[in-house]
Amino acid sequence: MTHFERLIQRQEIGDALRNDGRERIKMNEALMEMLLRLDSMPEVDPTMRELRRRVSRQIIGL
């Protein structure tokens, strides 16, 4: 998660995402993959459920 945040914050990557549709699609696909992995985790503990929600919101915010 923090890896993608750092990538987006870098100036040249941010510019590429704004200007190049293919780069934006690649980043969106990587973020969607993270969401799918997160959704596949079992919800055993309420604390884990809250952590999943928090991380999902961060991913969607990117």
Side-chain angles (χ1 to χ4, degrees), residues 4 7-28 31 62:
F4 286 107
L7 276 177
I8 291 172
Q9 289 174 352
R10 288 179 48 197
Q11 182 66 32
E12 62 272 5
I13 301 294
D15 290 342
L17 290 174
R18 281 189 283 284
N19 298 328
D20 187 5
R22 282 185 265 163
E23 290 298 320
R24 190 178 7 220
I25 290 171
K26 286 180 190 178
M27 181 63 72
N28 285 339
L31 292 172
L62 291 175

Side-chain angles (χ1 to χ4, degrees):
M1 177 66 188
T2 58
H3 171 72
F4 286 107
E5 287 177 327
R6 284 189 219 128
L7 276 177
I8 291 172
Q9 289 174 352
R10 288 179 48 197
Q11 182 66 32
E12 62 272 5
I13 301 294
D15 290 342
L17 290 174
R18 281 189 283 284
N19 298 328
D20 187 5
R22 282 185 265 163
E23 290 298 320
R24 190 178 7 220
I25 290 171
K26 286 180 190 178
M27 181 63 72
N28 285 339
E29 287 178 356
L31 292 172
M32 284 302 295
E33 181 182 346
M34 286 178 56
L35 279 173
L36 289 173
R37 279 191 201 166
L38 195 60
D39 284 344
S40 69
M41 293 174 58
E43 290 184 11
V44 178
D45 184 7
T47 307
M48 189 67 169
R49 184 179 308 132
E50 182 58 35
L51 180 63
R52 281 182 48 190
R53 283 185 188 146
R54 196 175 319 141
V55 172
S56 294
R57 287 181 187 134
Q58 287 177 333
I59 293 171
I60 291 170
L62 291 175

